[in-house]
Amino acid sequence: MSRLWWEIARRSFRRASSYRLATASGVFVNTVFGYLRASILIFVATAAGGSIRGQSATDLATFAFVSQGFIMTIGAFGDHELAERIRTGDVVIDLYRPADLQLWWAATWFGRSGFLALARGIPPVVLGALAFDLEWPDPLWHWLPFLASVVLATTVGFALRFCSNLLTFWLLDNRGVEQLLTVLISFFSGLVLPITLFPSWLERIARALPFASMIQLPTELYLGRYDGMEIVSVLAQQAGWAVALLLVGRAVLRAATARVVIQGG
Amino acid sequence: MAQVVRLAAVDKTYAVRTRAGRVRRRRREVRAVSDVSFTIESGEMVGYVGPNGAGKSTTIKMITGILTPSAGRIEVLGLTPTVDRRRLTRRIGVVFGQRSQLWWDLPLIDSFELLHHVYRTERARHDANLAAFTERLDLGGFLDVPVRQLSLGQRMRGELTAALLHDPALVVLDEPTIGLDVVSKYAVREFLSETNRERGTTVLLTTHDLDDVEHLCRRMLIIDRGRVLLDGAVDRFKAEHGNDRTLVVDLESAAEPLPLRTGQVLRTDGPRQWIRFDRRRTSAAAVIAEVTAAGAVRDLAIEEPDIEELIRRIYASRTEGSPGDGVGL
Amino acid sequence: MADGLRVYRLMVAAKIRSAWQYRTSFVMFLFAQATITSLEFVTILLLFDVVPDLGGWDRREVALLYGLATLPFAASDLIISPVERLSVHVRAGTFDRFLLRPASSLLQICAMEFELRRIGKLLPAVAVLWWAMAGVDVDWTPSSVGLLVLALTSGTVIYSALWIATASLSFWIVATQEATNAVTYGGQFANEYPLHLYPGWIRAVLGWIVPLAFVAYVPAVALLDAPNPLALPDDLVYASIPVAAATLVVSLRLWSLGIRHYQSTGS
């Protein structure tokens, strides 16, 4: 069975890699937003006397580029393929396959993410480093928790979008839901502003939500804000959200399947 | 009679880029249409026939002003299509069998109302036309139904109405009967020939269904690989090339090709045999009688030659130098 | 012209009727659009929690800048950004239909792809501009209001021209939508902050290559008595008119060149 998931993921990777011009144009947009956000954050940090709440201008610029680098990997903006199949009714074919629907889409999701990590994760950071002073994980082994954290962030991203896609069974058109979810993710994940710059009450709320696991926590690991057991606890927090949301997805899937069986598609 | 469409030595070439190696791309010229010349007189109904990829759609797009020819001259209703495109659109109607011009989520009648404003037709004329088409195409039952809920046949009837509401002098139809059931096909054909007869509308239709041409057109053009292979009267063409029929029989068991007087076995596949006969010389009944006498038959069907088969025969007869290819050329 | 607008109005009305059939989604979209736009302003306010001013500009002054950047963007997003769907039509071959009707293809595509839910962006933009105008230290005389109207109008024209120009590119190359979004959405985002926050080379791009600085920053400098470290003259605001006209002419030219290219390749 695990061979099947590998094959699905591999094909999804290859499919994502066939859109070269789109990839280049995506790198361009991530880099542009990286430049703009980094400039603003650097200006603010300099105006505040070099650092804000323990974060230097370099920290914040790095935050801007690293987050731009992996928003596509974690699928912050979602994916409509499953929703589309539900809308057209093709999903019935998927449900009759002797393979788990959630795992099937997870394999697709991770295959694409793998490509996006390479093609759209690295270039914006490299291009950012050409214009700004950026930091790299230090000591070198800090790359490991960062990469593990991105994988967990990708899982959280998948689990959320799997649920929102499944809502199409009830709503027929789920694009409104998707858009709202994108809004929540971009604000509470730290994408538009690192949540360390939020007022402390808002920061506490943001940290209690799953969205922080998507961008804020991986980037903090990249910047070396945590050490020792703190790293383990951050990763455990992400893993907790991932498992919880995947289980919610399973429950929603069960309800959706029951609905299809009753209504006959 | 006035010339409605005139093509003189029209070429259309595309540059196609194909991937050669990992990054490099090779540029290649593809000639979609080559040295095509013909004219269509006012009130004619012409079938433009050819297999998929022969250059039919490219020609249609050049006539309607969507594509510019690479060489040659095109004149439609006295205008140069790509130059006078906007003016031309008021005087032509276009139906693409596989694309809709109707508003998907809205009742059919709303599309007609919108087109009335887009084409700025007079209210009275619009209403009269709509009433006439509604009656003739039997639209009454679904004018208030959203287009997305219409059957393919109903939708095509809607498309025809949409293309003709502004009284175009020329109607161009690209595969109007594709995918339609027999009844809808019949309705579409009836409607087109009535419109042609009563309003004098010139009709040009592309199709790969020879049946359409046979029922609708006096004249046909056959195009293959971008070139006009034949231009002439449908009747004469049928007399020359359209008399062969193929009887497909399924025998009880696989057998040697049946020895027949009335026809000739073209090929066999297990118990199935394809038998060609000329319907001018023998009747289908006679062939069937002879076949059933020769062996136990489980099933049989008669096939008319399709367009690919006819084109193959035209080529064959030309290379043989037979005089039979002189139709209309 | 009047006829063209009539057809446009009718086609937009038809599109709204279609969208209204999916009410739940429509309302959620509307809400999401309003929220996105509001959160961009909330982000600015959160920065003021960290620093007392942004490059010497206070809350209300930046709010005015935000209003000047966002209101024209929301307007062009509602009316012209549907042209972005051109790439989809070109790829699917459905663009032909627009060429077969006696109305401008640009007008038709903007009408066919019109989405009323985008109006959600206008609401916070208007609200913030109102709040800024009420609190900012500007005498709202006929001449300063006139300046504001001039800024909003030329801003809308500049953004619209950017939509048309970037969409036209899909006549030549496919799959560039994200890159063009960098110009439109990216430009809008850049405009929400005082230009003097950015390093010189970004300022140069926004001033000279894609003339986004003329949408909000230049008029804001002319209206406000805020610090002006780039020493831009107040009268520069009048340059917005020729700049807007020029970008519109260029973008429409690109569009018609694109149509001509489409007619020679059919794809």
Side-chain angles (χ1 to χ4, degrees):
Chain A
M1 208 56 181
S2 60
R3 177 65 194 260
L4 170 67
W5 310 131
W6 169 249
E7 291 296 327
I8 293 172
R10 225 167 48 108
R11 273 175 185 73
S12 173
F13 183 101
R14 203 177 310 147
R15 190 170 69 152
S17 71
S18 62
Y19 304 104
R20 290 162 199 233
L21 206 57
T23 305
S25 101
V27 166
F28 177 66
V29 74
N30 293 140
T31 309
V32 165
F33 272 96
Y35 282 151
L36 294 173
R37 288 191 197 288
S39 310
I40 294 163
L41 290 171
I42 289 172
F43 186 93
V44 170
T46 315
S51 76
I52 311 168
R53 297 179 190 153
Q55 297 152 95
S56 67
T58 319
D59 284 342
L60 290 168
T62 309
F63 191 102
F65 281 103
V66 172
S67 60
Q68 283 295 322
F70 70 83
I71 37 170
M72 295 313 291
T73 308
I74 62 166
F77 302 113
D79 167 52
H80 311 292
E81 210 177 333
L82 175 58
E84 207 49 54
R85 286 185 75 81
I86 296 170
R87 199 171 15 237
T88 56
D90 289 349
V91 73
V92 178
I93 302 166
D94 306 350
L95 287 171
Y96 280 116
R97 270 197 286 252
D100 184 82
L101 189 71
Q102 195 180 26
L103 282 170
W104 181 286
W105 285 100
T108 314
W109 181 277
F110 274 95
R112 184 182 47 221
S113 286
F115 171 75
L116 294 173
L118 297 174
R120 293 192 53 177
I122 299 165
V125 183
V126 172
L127 290 170
L130 293 180
F132 297 92
D133 257 344
L134 298 185
E135 285 167 38
W136 308 96
D138 179 38
L140 216 52
W141 67 265
H142 271 184
W143 277 106
L144 284 176
F146 167 66
L147 292 176
S149 177
V150 170
V151 172
L152 289 169
T154 308
T155 317
V156 172
F158 165 73
L160 280 171
R161 292 294 179 178
F162 185 72
C163 294
S164 62
N165 267 259
L166 283 182
L167 287 184
T168 312
F169 275 111
W170 291 272
L171 291 175
L172 287 175
D173 184 356
N174 79 326
R175 285 173 299 177
V177 178
E178 294 289 338
Q179 180 103 35
L180 275 176
L181 187 56
T182 305
V183 173
L184 287 174
I185 291 174
S186 19
F187 189 73
F188 286 109
S189 69
L191 176 64
V192 295
L193 193 68
I195 63 181
T196 44
L197 300 190
F198 287 6
S200 53
W201 61 273
L202 192 58
E203 181 178 354
R204 269 199 301 280
I205 293 175
R207 287 201 185 272
L209 293 171
F211 312 114
S213 293
M214 298 177 72
I215 286 174
Q216 185 71 28
L217 297 181
T219 320
E220 287 180 342
L221 285 167
Y222 181 98
L223 288 168
R225 262 182 70 119
Y226 304 106
D227 220 334
M229 281 311 287
E230 283 174 342
I231 294 178
V232 178
S233 116
V234 166
L235 292 176
Q237 186 191 339
Q238 286 185 289
W241 276 118
V243 170
L245 290 166
L246 285 172
L247 289 176
V248 172
R250 290 215 84 84
V252 178
L253 177 61
R254 203 164 318 125
T257 317
R259 195 182 151 84
V260 171
V261 172
I262 292 162
Q263 300 195 338
Chain B
M1 269 199 285
Q3 282 181 354
V4 173
V5 178
R6 192 167 71 83
L7 274 76
V10 170
D11 276 0
K12 182 68 198 175
T13 49
Y14 296 109
V16 178
R17 286 182 177 78
T18 44
R19 200 167 273 178
R22 283 196 91 65
V23 187
R24 223 156 37 82
R25 293 190 178 200
R26 192 174 292 131
R27 198 186 140 97
R28 193 162 52 91
E29 292 260 299
V30 173
R31 185 162 286 207
V33 163
S34 175
D35 194 25
V36 167
S37 304
F38 62 84
T39 57
I40 297 176
E41 306 282 319
S42 172
E44 267 196 294
M45 214 165 171
V46 178
Y48 198 58
V49 193
N52 291 331
K56 284 176 297 183
S57 290
T58 304
T59 315
I60 294 290
K61 284 182 177 177
M62 289 192 286
I63 290 173
T64 51
I66 294 173
L67 277 179
T68 323
S70 311
R73 269 190 61 76
I74 301 184
E75 218 174 83
V76 178
L77 296 161
L79 303 169
T80 307
T82 39
V83 178
D84 307 310
R85 179 173 53 79
R86 291 271 289 273
R87 272 174 70 201
L88 185 63
T89 55
R90 293 183 185 285
R91 304 184 56 198
I92 60 174
V94 184
V95 174
F96 287 121
Q98 284 157 309
R99 301 217 175 98
S100 180
Q101 78 148 319
L102 305 169
W103 274 254
W104 189 243
D105 281 317
L106 295 180
L108 186 57
I109 186 87
D110 286 24
S111 291
F112 300 150
E113 184 61 23
L114 281 164
L115 290 171
H116 155 61
H117 291 288
V118 170
Y119 285 92
R120 281 188 265 155
T121 42
E122 283 165 37
R123 185 87 245 175
R125 203 179 62 168
H126 172 83
D127 289 347
N129 277 346
L130 183 55
F133 296 147
T134 302
E135 199 208 315
R136 207 160 282 163
L137 286 166
D138 205 9
L139 308 174
F142 51 88
L143 276 176
D144 294 322
V145 177
V147 173
R148 63 163 191 270
Q149 290 169 15
L150 298 182
S151 73
L152 189 59
Q154 291 172 328
R155 214 194 71 205
M156 183 47 69
R157 285 185 267 165
E159 300 282 356
L160 283 174
T161 307
L164 285 160
L165 272 176
H166 59 284
D167 276 333
L170 167 71
V171 192
V172 180
L173 306 106
D174 196 9
E175 303 280 359
T177 59
I178 201 162
L180 293 189
D181 60 279
V182 182
V183 179
S184 300
K185 244 184 215 184
Y186 181 79
V188 167
R189 286 176 190 157
E190 273 303 288
F191 176 72
L192 284 174
S193 44
E194 275 176 35
T195 309
N196 168 257
R197 208 166 48 235
E198 288 167 17
R199 299 179 181 238
T201 313
T202 310
V203 178
L204 172 64
L205 83 154
T206 78
T207 179
H208 64 267
D209 184 350
L210 280 178
D211 240 26
D212 282 345
V213 177
E214 205 171 308
H215 286 91
L216 282 174
C217 308
R218 283 243 189 86
R219 176 177 160 212
M220 70 193 280
L221 287 126
I222 296 186
I223 181 169
D224 183 51
R225 284 176 244 170
R227 287 178 182 277
V228 173
L229 209 56
L230 179 144
D231 178 354
V234 174
D235 287 345
R236 266 190 77 191
F237 178 77
K238 276 182 60 185
E240 296 288 339
H241 297 279
N243 288 302
D244 280 352
R245 292 288 180 275
T246 305
L247 179 69
V248 186
V249 288
D250 285 347
L251 303 171
E252 284 296 347
S253 56
E256 288 295 297
L258 299 170
L260 299 171
R261 269 183 314 102
T262 49
Q264 179 198 354
V265 176
L266 289 178
R267 65 190 186 100
T268 63
D269 179 11
R272 180 169 288 190
Q273 302 203 355
W274 281 263
I275 299 155
R276 183 160 82 189
F277 64 96
D278 185 332
R279 67 167 175 176
R280 282 172 303 186
R281 268 184 262 144
T282 179
S283 70
V287 186
I288 294 169
E290 199 188 0
V291 170
T292 31
V297 173
R298 283 174 55 190
D299 196 6
L300 49 77
I302 294 177
E303 288 179 352
E304 294 187 15
D306 60 10
I307 182 71
E308 282 82 3
E309 172 65 16
L310 280 180
I311 287 174
R312 204 183 52 71
R313 283 187 213 167
I314 294 172
Y315 278 125
S317 63
R318 287 216 181 142
T319 46
E320 281 159 21
S322 132
D325 64 340
V327 191
L329 281 175
Chain C
M1 188 62 190
D3 258 345
L5 290 179
R6 215 169 107 73
V7 168
Y8 174 79
R9 223 184 47 228
L10 288 163
M11 282 169 81
V12 165
K15 191 65 208 287
I16 294 172
R17 282 205 300 282
S18 307
W20 190 239
Q21 296 176 23
Y22 306 95
R23 249 154 282 186
T24 325
S25 194
F26 175 84
V27 171
M28 283 203 198
F29 249 115
L30 192 75
F31 181 68
Q33 299 263 325
T35 316
I36 290 175
T37 312
S38 315
L39 283 179
E40 282 171 18
F41 186 63
V42 169
T43 307
I44 293 173
L45 291 182
L46 289 178
L47 284 177
F48 274 99
D49 215 47
V50 181
V51 283
D53 60 78
L54 278 179
W57 292 31
D58 65 23
R59 270 190 188 78
R60 301 272 186 163
E61 286 164 338
V62 177
L64 187 78
L65 181 71
Y66 171 93
L68 284 171
T70 309
L71 187 52
F73 185 74
S76 73
D77 187 56
L78 180 68
I79 297 162
I80 306 293
S81 85
V83 71
E84 205 188 15
R85 298 274 297 170
L86 175 70
S87 61
V88 177
H89 285 287
V90 168
R91 236 174 307 157
T94 42
F95 184 71
D96 291 355
R97 179 50 62 195
F98 300 126
L99 295 180
L100 292 171
R101 290 188 187 137
S104 143
S105 51
L106 182 59
L107 210 68
Q108 285 186 71
I109 196 168
C110 287
M112 289 293 281
E113 297 294 343
F114 182 88
E115 298 284 2
L116 186 63
R117 62 187 189 222
R118 294 205 173 99
I119 215 167
K121 282 189 188 167
L122 271 170
L123 303 173
V126 171
V128 173
L129 187 64
W130 195 256
W131 180 76
M133 284 174 71
V136 91
D137 190 18
V138 175
D139 235 354
W140 292 112
T141 61
S143 79
S144 57
V145 170
L147 215 60
L148 187 82
V149 171
L150 178 134
L152 293 174
T153 314
S154 52
T156 309
V157 172
I158 291 175
Y159 280 133
S160 301
L162 287 181
W163 284 114
I164 296 169
T166 53
S168 299
L169 294 181
S170 27
F171 282 120
W172 286 275
I173 34 179
V174 286
T176 51
Q177 194 166 343
E178 280 196 278
T180 58
N181 284 350
V183 177
T184 48
Y185 291 104
Q188 142 67 8
F189 174 74
N191 269 345
E192 291 174 5
Y193 294 84
L195 191 67
H196 55 268
L197 260 62
Y198 300 108
W201 61 275
I202 292 185
R203 289 202 306 265
V205 172
L206 295 174
W208 298 106
I209 300 178
V210 195
L212 283 155
F214 289 91
V215 173
Y217 187 71
V218 168
V221 163
L223 279 165
L224 297 169
D225 194 22
N228 177 11
L230 304 176
L232 297 182
D234 281 0
D235 286 344
L236 193 59
V237 68
Y238 298 107
S240 297
I241 302 171
V243 166
T247 47
L248 188 64
V249 167
V250 169
S251 72
L252 292 176
R253 179 91 192 113
L254 255 169
W255 179 267
S256 54
L257 279 177
I259 300 261
R260 205 168 310 154
H261 178 78
Y262 182 84
Q263 288 182 319
S264 72
T265 60
S267 64

